Amino acid sequence: MSVLINAKPTLEVLPQGNRVREVQGAIYITQPTAITVTGTAQPPASNVQVVVQIFAKDANGNLVNGGAPLASATPDFSGQYRATFSLPSLLRKDVNVLFAREVAVGSIGSTVQINPTTLSGLNGNLAINETTLRNLAATINNPATTSALNGGVVTPSTPITGISGTITTPVFPITTPGGPGAAGPAVSTLLGGTGTLDPQVGTIVGGSVSNPASTSTLTDGTGTIDPTTGTLTQNGTAAIAGTTGTATLLVNEVAVSEPITVVIHQSQGIPGATLNTKSKLLTARDAGTRVHGVAHAGPRALAARALSGRRGGR
């Protein structure tokens, strides 16, 4: 589909006396001569280059001039173009078909607008990959604690030295030859004696211990969050705002004009001229020329009429 070229280019051969003239719907030329053509084409546009190339085919349908254009022209702002060239044919009698080929190359910029959109009933799976945390800084609080204390208290035996004191012996019964009696009490002094205190064993019952609250600081620690999965469900609606942007459309288009049949005659004595071609010669109607309606006459008849017209003119 064309976005730039909206019509075929037109092609018209400008008459130039007896050397370039129109006869019964075909253009007759006498070589050597320069042919001037004019026409209309798509004018250049912003960022688009437009060129019109003039080509010719011989009687066998092959491009002349090695397939290269005979002339090129750039349409002006009104679409008018003009070009002058010569046909390379050296045959005494020949038929060529001219056509204009328009090429448009470039780009067209435009604005793209996306309207706001409402989404509803969204469902999906949610996955969060594992994550490593670094440079952690935090305060650790330890509250005060109280607990019951139960247990045994054992004191081992302990030697005791340097004992001093008074030893008192109480009254005690004795038997004498004279019969029962009593002795004492007796008192003496103990100096520098030694002794041992036996091990002592006791029990702590109902005791308690209390630790006060404390705080500390965590600095430059690392931690890892395990991966998690879940389901994302959208019960309500979500809106995507409208957006705008730009788009560039590349243009590379070609359009071809209607063909024009050109009957070629060579001037007498042109160096390199050859006899009449044995190839099939096209009529203006065969070539599809747009100049005028063409009578049902072959190229030989057209050439004969052209020659008779020239004799009559002489």
Side-chain angles (χ1 to χ4, degrees), residues 44-63:
S46 176
N47 298 326
V48 177
Q49 301 288 332
V50 179
V51 64
V52 176
Q53 300 171 322
I54 307 301
F55 290 88
K57 290 184 178 181
D58 61 18
N60 295 318
N62 299 316
L63 289 172

Side-chain angles (χ1 to χ4, degrees), residues 22 41 45 48 50 76 87 96 98 102 127 144 149 154 217 221 239 247 249 251 256 267 284 287 292:
E22 180 184 346
V48 177
V50 179
D76 60 18
L87 291 173
N96 283 181
L98 295 178
E102 179 183 9
L149 180 63
V154 177
T217 302
L249 175 64
V251 175
V256 179
S267 297
H292 294 292

Side-chain angles (χ1 to χ4, degrees), residues 93-107:
K93 295 180 181 180
D94 197 4
V95 174
N96 283 181
V97 176
L98 295 178
F99 63 92
R101 182 177 184 269
E102 179 183 9
V103 180
V105 178
S107 62

Side-chain angles (χ1 to χ4, degrees), residues 133-154:
L133 304 179
R134 300 183 183 277
N135 298 326
L136 295 179
T139 299
I140 301 174
N141 294 312
N142 297 317
T145 58
T146 301
S147 61
L149 180 63
N150 296 282
V153 178
V154 177

